[in-house]
Amino acid sequence: MSGIEQQQTIDEKKIGVTPEGNQINDEAIKDDGELEQTIDPKKEKLLLAKLDLLFTPVIMLVYLSCFLDRTNIGNVKVAGMPEDIGASDQQFSTAVSIFYATYVTFETPFAIMLKKVTPRVLLTGLCIVWSLTTIFSGFIHNVGGLYTSRLILGACEAGLFPSLTIYLSMVYRREEQARRIAYLFSCAALSGAFGGLLAYAILQMDGVAGYAGWRWVYIIEGIFSIAIAVLVWYGLPTDPALHPWLTAEQQQMMKIRQQQTAAYMGSDEFKWEEIKIAFKDPKLYLSGGIQFCQDILLYGFSTFLPAILKSSGYDRLQSNLLTIPVYIVGAAIFIVAAVFSDRFMLRSPFILVANIFGIAGYIVLLTVSNDTTKFAATFLCAVAVYIGPGVNITWLSVNVAPHYRRAASIGLQQTIANTAGIVAGQIYRKSPYKLGHGFSLGALCLSQLLIVAKMIYIKWWNVRKDKIARGAIEDTRNVKTGDRELDFRYHM
């Protein structure tokens, strides 16, 4: 039996799906202990389509607005914002980096608080505050105002990505998550494309009502985010199984799916012991190291791509417009990769291959002087920029259980990783950005080594569990619950 087949067999025993994936176990357990016919595969397929229709647009839009409000600082930079508020290159770089000081501080607490506060209240509240902050950013007149707005944005947006990732795990099974996280993460790319197009259009308002074009970028994008907050309130119920637009039969199907994945989701009861187990897990720190390296690319590329293109000879409007095809290609390739990642329940090979494209792209940016060739190289970079961090967060999410252990792991992983935003703001200081490109290239190479190390560690655990189950070796596990159970198969 191959590794993939063995993995499927063990996972499917746990969730009640046959290896062929075409039917479910004959029975499921109801709350009252009675037995009930489980989900018809055709009905479940329709249910998944409806879940995607109900949840995916809301999750994508809120993350799009979040990333738009975070990275528009790159669009306004080329539109003259630093000069208008008297910010030097160093002060502007500090403004980019300071965002992550509060961002990394609040990620883990917000992830752990999600169930207690409820997704609806937490996500809507955060969205409203960062939207208002973005609007007020259009009225700043000095560096102090810029610093303040970035710190508030960082604190509010800190809770979003970990919370959305955890929310997806409440809706979808392990083998269904990479594609949905890809939808979420592709918004980082789409925000660049949409942000570039929107900035290009809004900058035409330069001088309207006496305001510079960059001020209108902040004001209009902030108003857009306020509208998204209303959508979040109504679109993300605390219990996804009770979404009002699901029929009674579909709500029952959701309950059965929750029962089938109970070992993965775990108890709703908070226990500090689960947090301690998460913080002692080597998977977390290997994943955090990988994510840090990949986020060097993500934050450097998404924030400074307009400036990178401007340094290649394009004017301020062209440099925003030309980001659009780069981001769209990156998002499209990412979604395709995620579909196959779910199909084969493999994660690491996709990151490894994507990073090879990124390595080639940064080498070209560092060594070639032709502007057209350098523009083409940004497409290669985009492959690694989005597939790397997106699939890596999935790789961690599907390999940690139960809920609070996973919440703590995702929160701390993002805390470790997003310190990369501080670094990105410092390495992309001055055209032609040789330091930034060189540092990004080095981060990719280090990421490759960490990915291989994590693959070896996970393989060791899967083999160890098999040997314990067969009685070939003594069971010396200190933790035997959640993802450390013998029938919990780690995805490679």
Side-chain angles (χ1 to χ4, degrees), residues 61-83:
L61 280 171
V62 68
Y63 194 61
L64 171 67
S65 71
C66 160
F67 220 84
L68 197 64
D69 292 343
R70 180 193 314 178
T71 59
N72 57 18
I73 192 171
N75 299 114
V76 300
K77 180 181 189 294
V78 299
M81 184 267 276
E83 293 80 5

Side-chain angles (χ1 to χ4, degrees), residues 58 62 110 113-130 155-156 159-160 163-164 167 170 228-239:
V58 179
V62 68
F110 278 136
M113 289 166 53
L114 179 67
K115 272 200 172 183
K116 190 74 173 178
V117 179
T118 74
R120 168 179 284 174
V121 172
L122 180 65
L123 294 174
T124 304
L126 293 175
C127 189
I128 289 173
V129 176
W130 88 58
C156 294
L160 186 67
S163 297
L164 291 179
Y167 194 85
M170 296 163 63
I228 300 302
V230 177
L231 186 62
V232 172
W233 178 259
Y234 290 103
L236 297 181
T238 297
D239 185 351

Side-chain angles (χ1 to χ4, degrees), residues 12 101 150 159 199 208 234-235 261 266-267 270 290 342 476:
E12 288 149 1
R150 295 289 291 176
V208 173
Y234 290 103
T261 59
S267 170
F270 175 78
I290 295 166
D342 272 346
T476 58

